[in-house]
Amino acid sequence: MRTPLEFVDTVLRDVEAHLRGTKRTATRVRSLLTQLAGAEVKGIKLPEAMAPHWKALLVNTLEDLVQHQDRTVVLFWDETPLMLHNVRKSSGEAAAMEVLDALRSLRQMHPRLRMVFAGSIGLHNVVTSLRRAGYANDPTNDMDTVDVPPLSTDHARELARGLLRGERIQVGDLAATAAAIAAAVDGVPYFIHHVIDQIAQRGGAADVTAVSEIVNQSLTDPQDRWHLRYYRERIDTYYNPDERPFALALLDVLSTTDQPLPFEPLFNLLKSRIVTEDSETARSVLALLQRDHYLAQQPDGKYRFRFPLIQRSWRLQRGLAP
Amino acid sequence: MKTSSLSRLSPCLMSRETLEAIFVQREPLAQRLVELIRDSTLTAAKHQTLVVGPQGIGKTGPIPTAAKHHTLLIGPHGIGKTHLISLVYHRIRAAADLHGCLLIAWLREEEWGVTSFLDLFLRIFRALLAEHADPVLSEQVESLYDLPSDEAARAAGQLLKQYVGSRTLLLLIENLDDILGGLGDQGQQRLRSFWQENPFCTLLASAESLFNAVSLQTSPFYGFFRIQHLRELELDDAALLLTKIAALDNDPDLESFLQTPAGRARVRAVHHLAGGSPRTYLILAQFLTRDTLDALAEPVIRTLDGLTPCYQARIARLSPQQRKIIDFLCDRRHDVLVKEIAQCCFLTHQTVSSQLKELRDRGYVRSHPIGRESYYELRDPLMRLCYEVRKQRGELVRLSVDFLRSWYQPEGLHWQLAPRQSSDARALGLRIRDRTTEARATLNRAVKLSDRSSQLLFKRAEALLALDRWDEGSAVLGEALCRFAHSDEPEVGDTEAIVCNVLNKTPDLASWRIHISTLIDLYDRHHILAPLGRGLVRSIRPLMSPLVNCAAARMWLDLWRQAAADRAEMRLPLRLLDVAVRYRQAHDPRVLFDLPVEERSLLQPLLGIEPGAGSS
């Protein structure tokens, strides 16, 4: 989705599909469409001529949904920040700002309408870029932010065991192999699935050695099936030109230390890579890197990579020695 | 008369008093460095220092040290590294609490020929003996020459450790990159191990730029030093430095002029061109009097001449291919692509790319990536300006300085009018636009004014031009210029408003042509084309308005070019106008790279572009 109209189009289709299930129709929005178009708008896709009226269409669509409910309606939207990022790129900052404001306004107008935004990039990335263009609002201050952590050790092992069994993979020591998988990928379910998928494709028995081989190969896979290069690419996409050299240098530094670093020595090592005395930008980039899941700050204030797997990957991608 | 206490090129030759007298911007840093040295000397085994480095060098955890601090100052040539080190040296020597517990060895910039661990220690002994004459030590050092080199190296280390004893050795090392480079990987490793096992040294070192021995994570000295990048002087610092030098040189006239808006405007013009290198201002100061600063061009050209040997020495250190590239960039004046450099220097693309990378790492060039291409220019525009002075006998530089002198007007010189005059001046004000009847009435009232002050005369001219009374207006303007352009307090009118009037008010092409020619003739007659050029450049902002179409903008440029073709003072403004019009048409930031950086930075704000964005 790249424009507000495309977003509204998708919402309308989903709402109408839901209402058909309860033998209802989205009468308000269809009536509005007829009024705006001068004739009944048939078909699924909203015509481009409706673009200037997307806000009214969105409001009417969700009102159609809410009015027929006697329960709270929860809308789940995946990759919402990415959608807003695309809207910003295609239609400008103003359009992205209006989408956020419209959604917030809808939540205020309809207390039984709730929204869940999910995304692999943080909404803060989009809002920050909008703020630079003059956007002053805080469009999600009525929403709670939940960081979805990796699985706990036990759950990661359980997932690995379950998948190994489910894929009917021959395993000598199921517990040890599952534990190795969970540890090698820091409990991240996405990578657990990948490891087991590759074990299954390889054929043969699975053991701790095989797990280690698969992870090592994946870290240097020229096809990048684990999409690990994304961690590098998103620095260029979401960090502004002033922040980028800081982000890259800080990650380079932390990828090559085997112990967490407090700010001062970290900043000093940063200065051995880039010409700067700007500690404030360094601090704010560290905060961004934490929010974007690259880094974690320990209770003692020291910084480290959040996931050892990503630390290894970063080091390899950047050609840095351990 | 200038005193001779200032050494423009060798701060280490200056007395402590002189160093302190002209020290600007870095007092907190100097104090911090002294404190670190004091802490290193007086505090033993109190702190744990986190040591980060490659395998085998303390990587596995914090290592107790004797709280020795090591600082590396990084900054380009002329930024004031030696001044700072010299100042710290004097302050440390004067610190009574450190007497008896601190030894000092100062390895100066000229410590060439260090190619081994032994060489370095022999230099350290030489520096120690220069500071603390000791015949016994001298004899012991002499005896090292009788030993085979490996044994001498071990013995030198032992001797140093023994000599320092329970004291701390402050090592001041300039051009650390040269010294560590000379040691090579093995020598660096050995040195690092020696200092780790024998932590009696505290180091204050300097280098022109980051170098592999401290920035590569596999190098022995990665993470060893506290890195401190020295920044250039801001405008206020530069003005303060010149003021302090004027005071030291016992020139109260210059000193007081520097504190006026006009004096500050002159410094601002210099700062625009020359940046914030303290050495530049030290050299400039020797050519400054109140009058020469006001005129500006001559001291700037003489400064560039004074800087030329420094730049020649820097260029001489480069390889022939690199020198060729630098020479090409000097000649081109503006940013260029790699392929152009390769073509014009008869080098392969790969060779040029790799040489540019090294030149960039060493601080000679800067790149501006746009898309997949990178444009390169000299990082230090003064290097190019020195080249221009030699090549064209300073003519081009003189024109640039004159333009900047006009561009940076003294701040705070607003129309200081009495209340009656003020209200009439407002009535005469240029933004009359649609209030023609009212404007005519107030103008007639103003015409009756008996006061013929310069401001009113110029304002009257500007008002007449704004009311499309071109012939009258230009006559009054001519009169005003005649009377006030070269008076004791010269006035040239608000050229931006005058030019904008021509842009906005003139109804047709033929009139544009006539009006532009008239303005050029008027200002040229009084040899003050630079202010008119300033007005033309400042009119670029309204020219970028969507109300002016591209064809009109192009015609505007062409007419000015035709009218001013043979006037050297208009070349720079026309260059800026040309790039602005091209940018307007193409919206391609690359067109700005046709300008050298000092001209580009004037134009970017007028086009709404952040200056310096995208460079590395």
Side-chain angles (χ1 to χ4, degrees):
Chain A
M1 276 175 267
R2 297 191 178 278
T3 65
L5 186 68
E6 285 178 30
F7 171 62
V8 174
D9 188 74
T10 306
V11 172
L12 175 59
R13 271 188 272 143
D14 287 347
V15 166
E16 287 196 313
H18 174 78
L19 289 176
R20 268 198 297 278
T22 58
K23 296 191 174 31
R24 292 188 167 97
T25 50
T27 49
R28 277 182 210 235
V29 70
R30 284 291 167 190
S31 163
L32 176 61
L33 275 168
T34 304
Q35 196 184 321
L36 291 171
E40 190 184 351
V41 174
K42 292 189 194 235
I44 297 169
K45 196 163 165 45
L46 290 173
E48 197 51 42
M50 294 295 114
H53 311 287
W54 68 266
K55 212 183 293 187
L57 291 168
L58 179 66
V59 168
N60 280 269
T61 301
L62 290 177
E63 282 181 351
D64 274 329
L65 175 67
V66 168
Q67 76 166 3
H68 292 302
Q69 309 298 324
D70 55 1
R71 295 169 287 183
T72 300
V73 175
V74 184
L75 297 165
F76 284 83
W77 284 317
D78 198 10
E79 300 295 0
T80 317
L82 188 59
M83 185 268 291
L84 289 165
H85 174 74
N86 291 338
V87 167
R88 183 182 71 86
K89 278 180 74 174
S90 298
S91 309
E93 276 87 9
M97 291 181 211
E98 285 192 59
V99 169
L100 279 168
D101 288 341
L103 292 175
R104 188 171 192 283
S105 176
L106 281 161
R107 292 194 299 273
Q108 306 292 304
M109 278 179 356
H110 303 286
R112 285 191 307 152
L113 178 65
R114 300 284 92 198
M115 297 175 188
V116 177
F117 300 159
S120 50
I121 68 160
L123 193 61
H124 62 272
N125 291 112
V126 182
V127 173
T128 301
S129 64
L130 296 181
R131 288 234 165 84
R132 285 192 200 114
Y135 182 59
N137 294 344
D138 192 351
T140 56
N141 66 356
D142 60 333
M143 298 175 84
D144 194 14
T145 304
V146 176
D147 178 50
V148 180
L151 297 174
S152 66
T153 305
D154 288 341
H155 288 143
R157 288 176 182 180
E158 186 184 337
L159 173 63
R161 283 196 301 272
L163 289 171
L164 285 166
R165 280 195 225 104
E167 291 292 329
R168 298 187 203 286
I169 291 170
Q170 197 183 338
V171 184
D173 184 341
L174 179 65
T177 307
I181 292 172
V185 299
D186 306 322
V188 176
Y190 172 79
F191 295 126
I192 292 173
H193 278 261
H194 264 292
V195 170
I196 286 164
D197 183 53
Q198 282 171 250
I199 290 175
Q201 283 184 35
R202 258 162 72 129
D207 56 19
V208 172
T209 305
V211 169
S212 177
E213 283 170 4
I214 285 169
V215 172
N216 289 343
Q217 281 163 14
S218 300
L219 287 174
T220 54
D221 175 13
Q223 307 306 321
D224 190 31
R225 273 169 283 199
W226 286 18
H227 297 286
L228 291 165
R229 276 185 223 133
Y230 167 73
Y231 284 91
R232 169 65 189 89
E233 288 157 6
R234 58 174 294 179
I235 300 286
D236 291 340
T237 307
Y238 297 114
Y239 287 63
N240 72 36
D242 292 339
E243 293 165 343
R244 263 175 239 149
F246 281 79
L248 294 174
L250 286 165
L251 292 171
D252 284 349
V253 167
L254 286 171
S255 72
T256 54
T257 63
D258 61 355
Q259 49 191 318
L261 290 178
F263 180 76
E264 287 300 331
L266 176 57
F267 184 53
N268 193 49
L269 290 172
L270 171 72
K271 287 194 287 179
S272 72
R273 289 169 182 268
I274 63 173
V275 177
T276 186
E277 286 293 329
D278 186 355
S279 58
E280 285 313 308
T281 298
R283 285 181 212 277
S284 60
V285 171
L286 278 170
L288 277 176
L289 290 170
Q290 286 175 78
R291 288 181 84 171
D292 291 333
H293 315 297
Y294 291 86
L295 303 181
Q297 189 179 24
Q298 300 178 162
D300 60 4
K302 294 180 183 175
Y303 295 91
R304 58 172 171 81
F305 263 82
R306 185 174 178 181
F307 301 113
L309 179 73
I310 305 305
Q311 182 188 28
R312 276 183 72 194
S313 168
W314 186 271
R315 196 166 59 230
L316 285 164
Q317 282 185 53
R318 302 282 283 167
L320 302 169
Chain B
M1 169 122 181
K2 307 286 178 189
T3 67
S4 59
S5 64
L6 280 179
S7 173
R8 264 76 191 183
L9 300 177
S10 302
C12 54
L13 298 178
M14 292 193 230
S15 67
R16 183 186 172 182
E17 292 68 32
T18 304
L19 289 167
E20 296 279 5
I22 62 169
F23 192 52
V24 297
Q25 190 204 69
R26 297 176 183 143
E27 182 55 37
L29 174 59
Q31 288 177 10
R32 175 92 179 115
L33 292 173
V34 168
E35 273 320 297
L36 287 173
I37 294 167
R38 177 176 273 112
D39 193 53
S40 295
T41 309
L42 300 178
T43 311
K46 205 164 78 173
H47 304 291
Q48 291 220 328
T49 302
L50 188 66
V51 178
V52 181
Q55 203 153 14
I57 311 272
K59 200 179 172 198
T60 54
I63 290 177
T65 70
K68 295 293 185 280
H69 304 289
H70 312 297
T71 306
L72 176 60
L73 306 174
I74 303 274
H77 216 60
I79 200 72
K81 302 184 293 295
T82 303
H83 187 141
L84 183 55
I85 288 177
S86 305
L87 194 82
V88 169
Y89 164 78
H90 285 293
R91 289 186 183 182
I92 289 292
R93 277 187 91 214
D97 57 335
L98 300 178
H99 288 168
C101 39
L102 181 71
L103 297 169
I104 302 175
W106 188 350
L107 275 64
R108 318 261 170 154
E109 271 185 291
E110 307 77 28
E111 291 291 350
W112 299 308
V114 173
T115 59
S116 67
F117 186 77
L118 175 62
D119 282 339
L120 177 60
F121 275 75
L122 290 173
R123 297 288 196 285
I124 292 174
F125 282 124
R126 186 164 72 187
L128 260 178
L129 288 167
E131 188 72 27
H132 315 274
D134 185 331
V136 173
L137 177 64
S138 181
E139 211 175 297
Q140 286 170 316
V141 171
E142 279 304 311
S143 68
L144 291 172
Y145 291 96
D146 297 327
L147 301 171
S149 63
D150 277 351
E151 210 178 312
R154 274 191 297 277
Q158 285 305 309
L159 176 60
L160 185 64
K161 185 179 168 184
Q162 196 184 327
Y163 180 75
V164 175
S166 60
R167 296 173 289 188
T168 296
L169 172 62
L170 169 61
L171 269 178
L172 304 170
I173 305 182
E174 299 187 65
N175 290 349
L176 180 72
D177 48 339
D178 284 342
I179 287 178
L180 292 184
L183 289 179
D185 291 342
Q186 278 196 347
Q188 289 174 29
Q189 188 90 3
R190 194 171 173 185
L191 183 63
R192 182 73 168 81
S193 300
F194 177 84
W195 274 334
Q196 188 159 322
E197 289 155 21
N198 305 283
F200 55 76
C201 280
T202 178
L203 279 86
L204 176 57
S206 69
E208 278 189 29
S209 58
L210 288 169
F211 51 101
N212 284 347
V214 299
S215 60
L216 277 188
Q217 157 259 333
T218 50
S219 301
F221 287 96
Y222 177 71
F224 182 82
F225 290 95
R226 290 167 187 267
I227 306 269
Q228 178 71 45
H229 295 280
L230 298 183
R231 57 187 174 87
E232 289 199 334
L233 301 183
E234 304 286 345
L235 174 61
D236 287 346
D237 304 321
L240 182 58
L241 175 58
L242 289 174
T243 307
K244 288 188 170 195
I245 295 173
L248 200 65
D249 285 341
N250 202 25
D251 190 341
D253 206 20
L254 174 61
E255 197 184 339
S256 64
F257 180 61
L258 281 162
Q259 289 165 68
T260 64
R264 196 179 159 81
R266 298 294 176 262
V267 178
R268 197 163 172 213
V270 173
H271 193 263
H272 179 101
L273 201 61
S277 165
R279 173 167 294 161
T280 304
Y281 293 93
L282 277 172
I283 294 178
L284 174 71
Q286 61 188 323
F287 306 118
L288 285 188
T289 62
R290 191 210 181 283
D291 291 338
T292 59
L293 177 60
D294 195 24
L296 203 57
E298 200 52 42
V300 168
I301 288 176
R302 292 178 76 184
T303 300
L304 293 172
D305 197 42
L307 286 169
T308 298
C310 301
Y311 286 118
Q312 286 174 333
R314 283 193 71 200
I315 293 171
R317 281 193 253 155
L318 301 175
S319 70
Q321 285 179 337
Q322 290 171 344
R323 271 184 253 154
K324 200 183 223 184
I325 293 171
I326 294 293
D327 188 68
F328 176 75
L329 290 173
C330 285
D331 193 60
R332 265 295 182 272
R333 298 191 80 233
H334 55 78
D335 291 50
V336 287
L337 289 168
V338 174
K339 63 184 177 200
E340 189 181 344
I341 300 173
Q343 188 178 9
C344 296
C345 294
F346 295 98
L347 297 168
T348 66
H349 197 282
Q350 291 87 332
T351 299
V352 170
S353 292
S354 73
Q355 297 293 2
L356 282 171
K357 184 183 180 313
E358 192 178 319
L359 286 169
R360 192 180 61 196
D361 291 344
R362 291 172 69 179
Y364 284 80
V365 304
R366 163 170 45 206
S367 66
H368 303 277
I370 296 206
R372 297 178 70 168
E373 294 178 313
S374 281
Y375 288 78
Y376 285 85
E377 65 176 348
L378 292 174
R379 178 170 281 274
D380 186 352
L382 285 185
M383 185 182 278
R384 171 173 43 79
L385 294 173
C386 289
Y387 173 91
E388 284 177 10
V389 163
R390 298 184 77 75
K391 195 176 170 195
Q392 290 144 357
R393 294 190 297 277
E395 211 39 56
L396 213 60
V397 172
R398 195 180 298 276
L399 290 171
S400 296
V401 172
D402 284 342
F403 181 81
L404 289 172
R405 185 181 176 281
S406 170
W407 183 263
Y408 288 112
Q409 288 296 288
E411 287 158 19
L413 279 187
H414 304 297
W415 299 116
Q416 297 292 329
L417 300 173
R420 182 182 73 87
Q421 291 169 316
S422 167
S423 63
D424 291 326
R426 275 199 295 279
L428 293 172
L430 292 167
R431 276 135 189 102
I432 297 171
R433 300 243 167 108
D434 300 318
R435 294 159 63 187
T436 314
T437 309
E438 180 188 335
R440 286 216 172 96
T442 51
L443 175 63
N444 290 335
R445 208 169 54 241
V447 165
K448 292 176 190 161
L449 285 174
S450 57
D451 190 340
R452 305 285 282 180
S453 70
S454 63
Q455 296 96 330
L456 273 176
L457 205 53
F458 277 111
K459 280 293 186 192
R460 187 168 159 224
E462 290 152 20
L464 285 166
L465 294 172
L467 290 170
D468 300 331
R469 287 158 70 168
W470 178 262
D471 292 337
E472 266 184 87
S474 54
V476 174
L477 180 61
E479 183 192 344
L481 288 171
C482 212
R483 290 177 62 180
F484 301 111
H486 297 289
S487 60
D488 288 341
E489 289 185 11
E491 291 287 347
V492 297
D494 185 345
T495 53
E496 179 185 353
I498 292 168
V499 172
C500 285
N501 255 318
V502 173
L503 175 65
N504 294 326
K505 295 285 185 180
T506 306
D508 53 63
L509 205 60
S511 300
W512 253 5
R513 183 175 280 119
I514 293 168
H515 294 172
I516 290 169
S517 291
T518 304
L519 282 180
I520 289 175
D521 287 341
L522 273 176
Y523 279 85
D524 195 17
R525 197 176 302 159
H526 300 282
H527 309 292
I528 47 169
L529 276 174
L532 182 64
R534 179 190 74 220
L536 178 61
V537 173
R538 291 229 166 108
S539 74
I540 285 173
R541 206 192 297 267
L543 190 70
M544 297 293 114
S545 160
L547 298 175
V548 179
N549 65 43
C550 285
R554 169 54 65 181
M555 189 55 62
W556 176 252
L557 167 66
D558 289 343
L559 289 173
W560 275 97
R561 262 203 192 127
Q562 286 164 22
D566 52 349
R567 269 86 163 194
E569 301 93 324
M570 294 299 287
R571 274 187 224 140
L572 192 161
L574 285 172
R575 243 186 340 262
L576 298 181
L577 183 61
D578 172 64
V579 168
V581 168
R582 284 195 285 133
Y583 176 76
R584 191 182 192 285
Q585 281 170 333
H587 281 286
D588 185 349
R590 286 175 292 187
V591 303
L592 281 111
F593 292 138
D594 286 348
L595 295 170
V597 61
E598 65 274 14
E599 293 177 13
R600 196 163 65 231
S601 61
L602 290 176
L603 186 58
Q604 282 165 326
L606 298 170
L607 302 177
I609 299 171
E610 189 80 30
S615 64
S616 60

